[in-house]
Amino acid sequence: MIDITVGSTKRSFDIDDPELPNWVEDEAFTSGGYVYSEKLRRSDYEEELEALQLELVKLQAHRAETGMRMIILFEGRDAAGKGGTIKTFREYLKPRTARVVALPAPTDVERGQWYFQRYVQHFPTSGELVLFDRSWYNRGGVEPVMGFCTPEQNAQFLEQAPAFEKQIVDDGLHFFKIWLNVGQEMQIKRFHDRRHNPLKSWKLSPIDMQALQKWDAYTQARDAMLAATHSTYAPWTIVRSNDKRRARLNTIRHVLSQVDYADKDEAAIGEIDEAILGHPPHFLNEFGS
């Protein structure tokens, strides 16, 4: 049995039980103050996504022609939808110039280096897009919560990250930081699905199971991280991801809307859903954790 606190209520559940508890099923979609009660219809999603992916292909051609370099990093709690969003971005892009970087735990050599060093070596060259599935912000969230770094290392990271990112932007890279925000009951529902779906079971790790019981600690670490590293030159974008379809569409819209490229179709990009995508601190405060 796993004991957790949801809001102010103590709950227990057995993730090995194939039957999802009613309190999870009933609250999952609207957890965290989510404003929609059901998913975007698949037909609407696929129509909007096709138009946006065509714009991404146009942007790819523009990058190749101009040498534009782009980094998009994706952060969020486990099961927030990072991998699926990245997959949607890359579906019709050339893999050689739209790379995913998802680094394992650092080696002994890497632990002895400058913290940012192992990430810098994966930065894009001319014409490339690099998508980080987790990034140097491990030190802002997972590491301090799970005890993988010291409080001093965490504090040093929060001080150094803005200066590091200013160098990225000053060097001409187009740089995006995306935080996918998932509600607590929805996270539990997705973990349960991974546990009981053989095709997804590899996604559930012992660290994930520990994280279930550290929701509040992750919230505190997230808030401290966002407060220290949200800047005018490298702002955080918060995407509420209980509905993966709306999250993916609005994340792509956001990136496309911030970049100029040949034959850009503003009508195809459409309008950002302000109930789904915003910026800290007001966006998190308004809609909950």
Side-chain angles (χ1 to χ4, degrees):
M1 296 293 290
I2 297 175
D3 297 317
I4 61 172
T5 299
V6 181
S8 59
T9 305
K10 293 189 180 299
R11 301 280 196 178
S12 296
F13 72 99
D14 182 1
I15 200 166
D16 292 321
D17 186 343
E19 221 31 63
L20 191 65
N22 289 338
W23 60 269
V24 176
E25 192 70 64
D26 294 344
E27 301 295 330
F29 207 81
T30 57
S31 62
Y34 195 74
V35 296
Y36 293 102
S37 59
E38 56 187 30
K39 289 181 181 179
L40 181 67
R41 287 191 308 176
R42 178 175 292 277
S43 58
D44 293 339
Y45 169 68
E46 291 177 348
E47 180 180 353
E48 294 178 41
L49 180 60
E50 183 176 358
L52 291 170
Q53 288 177 325
L54 176 57
E55 293 301 303
L56 287 172
V57 171
K58 293 180 187 178
L59 177 55
Q60 174 181 252
H62 182 78
R63 286 201 317 274
E65 183 177 343
T66 63
M68 176 189 290
R69 295 170 295 157
M70 294 183 66
I71 294 175
I72 310 174
L73 65 81
F74 293 85
E75 292 288 346
R77 300 178 195 264
D78 296 310
K82 297 179 290 295
T85 304
I86 290 170
K87 181 179 178 181
T88 304
F89 260 91
R90 293 184 71 237
E91 188 170 6
Y92 294 105
L93 300 183
K94 187 182 299 184
R96 289 185 179 178
T97 59
R99 296 187 286 112
V100 178
V101 176
L103 299 184
T107 64
D108 289 340
V109 170
E110 289 170 334
R111 278 191 287 269
Q113 296 172 339
W114 175 48
Y115 176 72
F116 296 97
Q117 186 167 337
R118 74 187 195 119
Y119 297 100
V120 171
Q121 63 183 318
H122 296 282
F123 274 23
T125 188
S126 176
E128 277 194 320
L129 163 65
V130 171
L131 304 104
F132 279 91
D133 186 346
R134 293 200 183 276
S135 66
W136 46 94
Y137 279 100
N138 280 330
R139 182 142 292 180
V142 174
E143 290 189 17
V145 172
M146 301 305 298
F148 298 153
C149 73
T150 66
E152 293 75 19
Q153 288 173 320
N154 173 243
Q156 183 182 55
F157 167 79
L158 294 178
E159 181 180 352
Q160 291 181 349
F164 171 65
E165 290 168 3
K166 191 170 191 308
Q167 291 183 313
I168 294 174
V169 175
D170 286 349
D171 198 53
L173 276 81
H174 292 261
F175 180 48
F176 297 88
K177 300 190 296 190
I178 309 296
W179 178 273
L180 294 172
N181 208 59
V182 66
Q184 189 173 12
E185 289 90 341
M186 181 57 80
Q187 184 190 52
I188 293 169
K189 179 178 172 64
R190 291 178 182 172
F191 278 0
H192 185 271
D193 182 44
R194 292 176 178 185
R195 185 71 154 190
H196 296 281
N197 184 338
L199 295 175
K200 298 181 180 180
S201 59
W202 60 271
K203 293 184 176 183
L204 194 63
S205 71
I207 295 295
D208 296 335
M209 302 303 296
Q210 294 179 48
L212 276 175
Q213 301 171 78
K214 295 179 179 290
W215 180 270
D216 290 342
Y218 271 101
T219 298
Q220 292 171 9
R222 177 203 65 190
D223 291 350
M225 181 191 78
L226 294 177
T229 62
H230 180 62
S231 63
T232 55
Y233 50 85
W236 277 101
T237 298
I238 312 298
V239 182
R240 307 186 76 240
S241 63
N242 278 14
D243 178 5
K244 295 178 182 180
R245 294 170 184 171
R246 287 186 174 93
R248 292 166 184 170
L249 294 176
N250 282 279
T251 303
I252 297 173
R253 284 193 182 106
H254 170 67
V255 171
L256 291 171
S257 69
Q258 298 299 306
V259 182
D260 291 326
Y261 55 92
D263 300 321
K264 184 174 181 177
D265 187 341
E266 299 282 1
I269 295 171
E271 297 293 326
I272 299 290
D273 184 341
E274 294 182 355
I276 298 296
L277 186 145
H279 301 281
H282 69 276
F283 194 73
L284 285 174
N285 293 342
E286 181 178 355
F287 293 107
S289 62

